[in-house]
Amino acid sequence: MRAATGVWRWRRNPLRRTTDLVEAWIALTAAALLCLLVPLAGWAAGSSASASLQRAVRTQQEQRLPTTARVVRLADGPASGPRTTGAAGEERLRRSVVARWTAPDGTIRTETVPTARRHSAPGDAFPLWTDRDGRPVSPPMPASTARAHTLIAGLMAALLAGLLVETVRRLAVRRLVLRRYARLDRAWASAGPDWGRADTGS
């Protein structure tokens, strides 16, 4: 970041222009915003995301219940569904099985559910998450996942805030440079025709 390079323009010298002083103020303001706004934006976004995600985690933990299902038979048709990656890095398809489990109200449910098990034989048990009505659902979000999302949200907000400050600074400095060039062009237009003539004292 080049925001601090304009601070030297604070020094008093006869060649200092008004735009130099303005650029120094822009550099100082940008540096202050980077020190204050960026951490504040990251903290605010992280806090907001954390509160929302923690509520989601608590809600899912309250509404999703673990149970044990048993395979009745393989579902008709080939393995299908989204691919998953195992601990050893092998990629495999999720396959569906007809399974039986006990719902929270005590009733027996039998439905087709996907499973990542490589081998499923009738009678095999596997963990299953259900809602309070006994319908299969995905597992609740782990607290570690919520913390990771919170960290990502805070970092992204801080990065965007920093990019915003730097973009505004660059645009402001560019406008000052264009004003300097315009003044130089006007000065040259007025002095150029007489440049080098003996009777002009140049």
Side-chain angles (χ1 to χ4, degrees), residues 120-154:
S120 296
D124 287 351
F126 63 94
L128 181 71
W129 288 86
T130 69
D131 61 15
R132 294 192 174 278
D133 294 327
R135 294 186 295 265
V137 294
S138 59
M141 180 188 303
S144 59
T145 301
R147 288 192 295 269
H149 285 297
T150 297
L151 179 61
I152 292 173

Side-chain angles (χ1 to χ4, degrees), residues 41-62:
W43 175 82
S47 297
S48 176
S50 177
S52 177
L53 289 170
Q54 291 301 327
R55 285 195 301 270
V57 168
R58 288 193 298 269
T59 299
Q60 291 180 9
Q61 289 177 343
E62 292 172 358

Side-chain angles (χ1 to χ4, degrees), residues 74-84 92-97 112-117:
L74 296 180
D76 296 333
S80 61
R83 294 179 179 270
T84 59
R92 60 183 181 270
L93 288 170
R94 293 175 65 89
R95 62 186 310 163
S96 297
V97 298
T112 300
V113 296
T115 177
R117 294 168 58 89

Side-chain angles (χ1 to χ4, degrees), residues 174-189:
R174 176 177 173 80
R175 184 165 184 176
L176 289 176
V177 171
L178 293 177
R179 288 182 61 183
R180 290 175 190 150
Y181 286 157
R183 289 181 179 179
L184 287 174
D185 289 341
R186 289 194 298 269
W188 178 252

